[in-house]
Amino acid sequence: AWPFSCDRRLTVPPPVHYHFCGACSRERYVTKRKGAALVRFGISIPADLIGRFDALIGETGYANRSEAIRDLIRNRLVDAAWEAGAGEMIGTFTMVYDHHVHELGEALTSIQHDHHAAILSTLHIHMDAHLCLEVLVLRGPAQVVKRIADTLSGMRGVRHGKLTVTSVAGHL
């Protein structure tokens, strides 16, 4: 049914149609684009906050507010999944370590071999005569990825370790 109250009919359906949301009992505008339904909604936000947000998205190169808000939502969903320890995650663990610390190199290699199914790739760079940077690409259940990163971070000689994760692409 068309959302018009008169008898006018269009030869081409409009790109936007109304959808009644049962969850909140409100009408939403839904747009079909590239096979995915896009929902239009309004939010109330203080003027100073939206001004700061607009300045931020202008600096980061977003085409519009919608793109920036979609990224914020995705980031929060990934964070929530990570905090809950749910689902498969993929990410990188970056560490800086002193390769002169006794048996550290062997221990790092041993851990990587023990978790070969979760460690997809590594990159090793010599920063100077003592320090190395190593980046591991990890994929697996959130608990496994976190355990590997925590183990590596806690080793004597590892000066810095940082894990960055995202959900596996199909979940975004």
Side-chain angles (χ1 to χ4, degrees):
W2 294 101
F4 305 112
S5 58
C6 65
D7 286 337
R8 289 185 327 172
R9 299 285 183 210
L10 300 176
T11 56
V12 177
V16 175
H17 68 275
Y18 293 100
H19 166 73
F20 185 76
C21 178
C24 65
S25 301
R26 293 188 181 155
E27 247 180 0
R28 303 281 190 211
Y29 295 103
V30 179
T31 304
K32 291 288 266 184
R33 187 174 73 175
K34 295 181 186 175
L38 299 178
V39 177
R40 294 177 181 259
F41 66 97
I43 59 172
S44 299
I45 190 166
D48 65 325
L49 185 58
I50 196 64
R52 292 187 347 237
F53 186 66
D54 285 343
L56 176 69
I57 64 175
E59 293 170 7
T60 55
Y62 284 102
N64 53 52
R65 287 180 184 158
S66 293
E67 290 296 329
I69 290 170
R70 279 192 283 271
D71 269 359
L72 289 172
I73 292 169
R74 286 185 196 108
N75 285 338
R76 184 60 194 115
L77 291 171
V78 168
D79 289 347
W82 177 252
E83 290 164 7
E88 185 177 26
M89 303 300 260
I90 190 164
T92 59
F93 178 72
T94 304
M95 65 180 155
V96 174
Y97 66 92
D98 184 343
H99 74 267
H100 288 296
V101 171
H102 184 63
E103 297 181 358
L104 178 59
E106 295 84 5
L108 292 173
T109 301
S110 177
I111 289 169
Q112 291 177 32
H113 282 279
D114 291 346
H115 297 285
H116 65 89
I119 299 174
L120 305 178
S121 181
T122 61
L123 170 70
H124 182 92
I125 298 170
H126 300 280
M127 296 173 60
D128 61 27
H130 297 281
L131 296 177
C132 294
L133 175 118
E134 194 151 318
V135 179
L136 286 73
V137 178
L138 303 163
R139 182 175 184 164
Q143 302 91 339
V144 171
V145 170
K146 184 173 183 352
R147 188 175 339 111
I148 293 168
D150 289 345
T151 300
L152 293 169
S153 291
M155 298 184 75
R156 191 173 68 82
V158 175
R159 298 217 180 147
H160 179 259
K162 179 158 179 83
L163 177 64
T164 304
V165 295
T166 190
S167 178
V168 174
H171 298 105
L172 297 176

